[in-house]
Amino acid sequence: DAGVTQSPTHLIKTRGQQVTLRCSPKSGHDTVSWYQQALGQGPQFIFQYYEEEERQRGNFPDRFSGHQFPNYSSELNVNALLLGDSALYLCASSLELPGAQYFGPGTRLLVL
Amino acid sequence: AQSVTQLGSHVSVSEGALVLLRCNYSSSVPPYLFWYVQYPNQGLQLLLKYTSAATLVKGINGFEAEFKKSETSFHLTKPSAHMSDAAEYFCAVRSNSGYALNFGKGTSLLVTP
């Protein structure tokens, strides 16, 4: 049973560029959440997708957007990258409440 | 919003000693609580979860946590530390009306020989 997978594992971008990160949920899961983890910090919630709709959003600007596909996989898009966007981006999948969220290995983004 | 506070950003124990990692939550109603572990350069692995079924929750790798409403605590324990337990540990809370996990700042566990 495959767990949560994310691609790519590492990414280097320059300021002002755009990036797309991808996530495939654990088999049987229908909900995907995205988190940003800065170095030395706990993960911060970006948003959650269920039934292809964003149903909750954290305190992140509109530069951060996402999408969920019919097969439940998801993308996170970040526009106009800033140096401060450098972080580990984690995807987590779950079933409907009150299930736990299961995390992927993350994508490490470096913005130069 | 629901939040958790992890007391002690760094904890050091000897191999074979008791591990105690502290987590206190802020909530007026019992929330859903979780402990995750993160090894270097990896994602988060779920250790255990509290969803109101039982106050003492057993997880993987010999860890357990006890939900104490009177103390608003959910401390993580393991009777005997192993070298492989060295990692970053995060406590997280989700309200019963929300979807996001709110994480603490983490506790780095060092296990010495």
Side-chain angles (χ1 to χ4, degrees), chain A residues 49-68:
Chain A
Y49 276 83
Y50 173 68
E51 293 188 339
E52 302 180 49
E53 295 288 332
E54 181 187 294
R55 69 174 177 181
Q56 187 176 2
R57 187 179 184 91
N59 188 25
F60 279 80
D62 292 344
R63 298 186 298 108
F64 290 77
S65 63
H67 189 77
Q68 185 179 35

Side-chain angles (χ1 to χ4, degrees), chain A residues 35 37 48 56 97-98 101, chain B residues 36 38 43-44 94 99-101:
Chain A
Y35 293 81
Q37 185 180 22
Q48 184 180 91
Q56 187 176 2
L97 299 175
Q101 295 183 17
Chain B
Y36 287 86
Q38 186 175 35
L44 278 69
R94 180 173 64 77
Y99 305 105
L101 287 178

Side-chain angles (χ1 to χ4, degrees), chain B residues 24-99:
Chain B
N24 288 89
Y25 66 91
S26 65
S27 173
S28 58
V29 295
Y32 296 110
L33 293 159
F34 307 85
W35 274 100
Y36 287 86
V37 61
Q38 186 175 35
Y39 298 100
N41 300 314
Q42 295 188 25
L44 278 69
Q45 181 182 10
L46 178 67
L47 280 175
L48 49 80
K49 61 182 179 182
Y50 169 74
T51 56
S52 76
T55 57
L56 183 62
V57 182
K58 294 188 183 297
I60 63 171
N61 301 339
F63 284 94
E64 64 181 35
E66 186 173 7
F67 174 77
K68 291 187 176 180
K69 183 178 178 180
S70 61
E71 298 177 7
T72 61
S73 69
F74 190 59
H75 301 331
L76 181 71
T77 61
K78 181 174 180 177
S80 178
H82 192 273
M83 297 296 289
S84 61
D85 294 327
E88 190 82 15
Y89 291 80
F90 292 96
C91 181
V93 62
R94 180 173 64 77
S95 72
N96 52 16
S97 60
Y99 305 105

Side-chain angles (χ1 to χ4, degrees), chain A residues 27-84:
Chain A
S27 179
H29 285 184
D30 56 8
T31 303
V32 173
S33 304
W34 287 92
Y35 293 81
Q36 180 195 66
Q37 185 180 22
L39 202 60
Q41 301 294 317
Q44 297 291 315
F45 176 74
I46 303 175
F47 42 54
Q48 184 180 91
Y49 276 83
Y50 173 68
E51 293 188 339
E52 302 180 49
E53 295 288 332
E54 181 187 294
R55 69 174 177 181
Q56 187 176 2
R57 187 179 184 91
N59 188 25
F60 279 80
D62 292 344
R63 298 186 298 108
F64 290 77
S65 63
H67 189 77
Q68 185 179 35
F69 299 94
N71 67 353
Y72 308 121
S73 67
S74 177
E75 288 182 350
L76 164 65
N77 300 290
V78 187
N79 295 321
L81 284 167
L82 303 174
L83 295 180

Side-chain angles (χ1 to χ4, degrees), chain B residues 17-28:
Chain B
L18 171 71
V19 175
L20 171 61
L21 305 181
R22 301 177 186 274
C23 174
N24 288 89
Y25 66 91
S26 65
S27 173
S28 58

